[in-house]
Amino acid sequence: MTKLTHAIRKAAVAHTNGKNTKSTTEQTMLSTTRNVRNTASLKVSNTAINSVIEDMIQSSNHIGLAEIATDENVGILERKPPPGTILISPPNPSKDSGFLDNITVRVAKPVDDLCIASLRLSLFSDFSAHMRQAFCSRSCHVLDSRRNQGAACVVATIPIRASDISDRTDIIVGTAECSIHEFYGTSLGESRLQDSILYITEVAVSPTIRRQGIGSKLMKAFDEFAKARGVETIYLHVDVANEKAYSLYEKAGYEKVVSDDFFYKEFTKSLNLHDGATKGRNHYLMHKNMRQPNWLSDGKRKIDSSNSFKMNDLAVQ
């Protein structure tokens, strides 16, 4: 469960007696989001949920949602590969193949935002209809905000036929997000060349078709994404207790960062993922070198002088 969804969930429980005020836009999203059911009558105010998410967007201490990007801090690489680019194609697509043999992984487009939000929502079964509509609405806002900062989602899809109800030609069954702005203002970011590192977050696969290799396809897609941008190293965090996710990343070539250097700890803390920060949970920082990493000289890093920098810890395995 991500920090974003933790915050929404916390706001929902804390404001069970809030007023039910729906906007026209949210009503539309509610009607178009599938599998929205009226579960337990858990009412929550839009104001409470919106306030939590807006605080996250405005605070630089929360998963990099602050500071709407400008041309200066976005750089020239984050729009590559462009939305819609196919990263992983089906090996031998055919009408007779099973749907899992026809999975395509591509860079998401803005039109996918609602489907991505709905997939993330599917991880929770105890949300009321009103909570679901608010979650999708605010999730779409956050997706757009992060996209403006250079973030991008990749989506695993299976083909479908367009209908009178929808003109979509695929269904999203898996998604994950990558970005660079989490590194802004951190010693780790200042230790590396601009746009040479990438951060993965929000990995989600439809609960109905897990353990079918979709997560592995998403990770392979990020390899292609990183190659297109010339990225040297990809980073991610994983919950220490999530053995399946850890195994997935390990099989994809990621290694746990074992160095005690200050800038790794600082980076993890900047995302509020340090030990015990999120309901007592701990996280591993993992990395994968796509090619030989370049580290800037000590003089260009803003690292506490009391913390030593060990090049042996940074060698490519």
Side-chain angles (χ1 to χ4, degrees):
M1 190 184 302
T2 65
K3 187 175 182 62
L4 170 61
T5 48
H6 264 312
I8 297 176
R9 198 176 178 88
K10 181 178 179 180
V13 173
H15 297 270
T16 53
N17 294 320
K19 296 180 180 180
N20 185 3
T21 56
K22 298 186 178 76
S23 67
T24 303
T25 301
E26 290 172 336
Q27 289 175 343
T28 301
M29 287 187 173
L30 175 60
S31 65
T32 57
T33 303
R34 295 181 179 181
N35 300 324
V36 174
R37 297 171 297 179
N38 289 320
T39 57
S41 179
L42 187 60
K43 296 182 179 180
V44 57
S45 69
N46 287 339
T47 302
I49 294 178
N50 293 354
S51 175
V52 171
I53 307 248
E54 294 298 346
D55 286 345
M56 295 175 68
I57 293 174
Q58 294 172 9
S59 172
S60 60
N61 293 324
H62 291 290
I63 62 175
L65 293 181
E67 187 184 357
I68 295 301
T70 64
D71 291 341
E72 180 179 355
N73 60 29
V74 169
I76 61 174
L77 297 178
E78 48 276 82
R79 297 306 179 188
K80 296 180 181 179
T85 299
I86 294 178
L87 301 171
I88 302 292
S89 299
N92 295 297
S94 69
K95 294 182 180 179
D96 297 329
S97 301
F99 74 90
L100 290 175
D101 297 322
N102 289 311
I103 290 179
T104 296
V105 185
R106 59 175 172 80
V107 182
K109 298 175 285 188
V111 71
D112 296 317
D113 284 0
L114 182 57
C115 293
I116 293 172
S118 297
L119 176 56
R120 292 176 178 178
L121 173 64
S122 69
L123 304 179
F124 308 98
S125 60
D126 58 348
F127 274 16
S128 67
H130 180 53
M131 290 170 65
R132 289 171 181 265
Q133 96 181 49
F135 182 99
C136 285
S137 176
R138 301 307 297 165
S139 290
C140 287
H141 173 81
V142 170
L143 282 165
D144 185 62
S145 174
R146 289 175 63 81
R147 185 185 300 111
N148 288 336
Q149 299 176 77
C153 287
V154 301
V155 290
T157 67
I158 54 176
I160 59 172
R161 291 183 178 180
S163 65
D164 295 335
I165 300 176
S166 172
D167 58 357
R168 288 195 66 91
T169 57
D170 60 24
I171 294 176
I172 295 175
V173 294
T175 181
E177 188 173 333
C178 64
S179 57
I180 59 174
H181 61 268
E182 273 83 2
F183 300 104
Y184 294 161
T186 68
S187 297
L188 177 57
E190 292 164 357
S191 301
R192 303 293 296 272
L193 297 174
Q194 183 177 4
D195 301 321
S196 68
I197 49 181
L198 196 66
Y199 185 71
I200 294 177
T201 185
E202 298 288 355
V203 180
V205 175
S206 175
T208 59
I209 51 174
R210 288 177 179 168
R211 300 184 185 180
Q212 301 294 332
I214 295 175
S216 296
K217 290 182 183 295
L218 289 172
M219 303 314 293
K220 290 179 181 178
F222 278 124
D223 287 352
E224 298 303 315
F225 189 101
K227 290 176 184 177
R229 285 198 182 180
V231 168
E232 297 175 351
T233 307
I234 309 175
Y235 291 92
L236 58 82
H237 281 95
V238 61
D239 193 314
V240 170
N242 194 340
E243 296 180 357
K244 293 179 181 178
Y246 182 85
S247 177
L248 168 67
Y249 301 143
E250 192 173 42
K251 289 178 180 178
Y254 288 80
E255 299 176 342
K256 182 170 62 174
V257 173
V258 296
S259 172
D260 289 329
D261 279 297
F262 165 75
F263 54 81
Y264 290 126
K265 293 182 178 179
E266 181 208 48
F267 175 65
T268 295
K269 190 172 183 178
S270 74
L271 302 180
N272 204 32
L273 293 175
H274 52 290
D275 289 355
T278 54
K279 295 187 176 180
R281 293 157 55 192
N282 300 333
H283 296 82
Y284 292 135
L285 175 63
M286 304 185 74
H287 78 294
K288 179 178 183 177
N289 286 326
M290 302 299 298
R291 55 180 180 168
Q292 181 69 40
N294 289 290
W295 294 85
L296 301 182
S297 63
D298 289 341
K300 294 182 180 180
R301 286 196 307 270
K302 296 179 181 179
I303 300 178
D304 191 330
S305 59
S306 64
N307 293 277
S308 62
F309 178 74
K310 305 173 184 177
M311 285 303 298
N312 291 337
D313 291 330
L314 306 175
V316 180
Q317 301 295 324

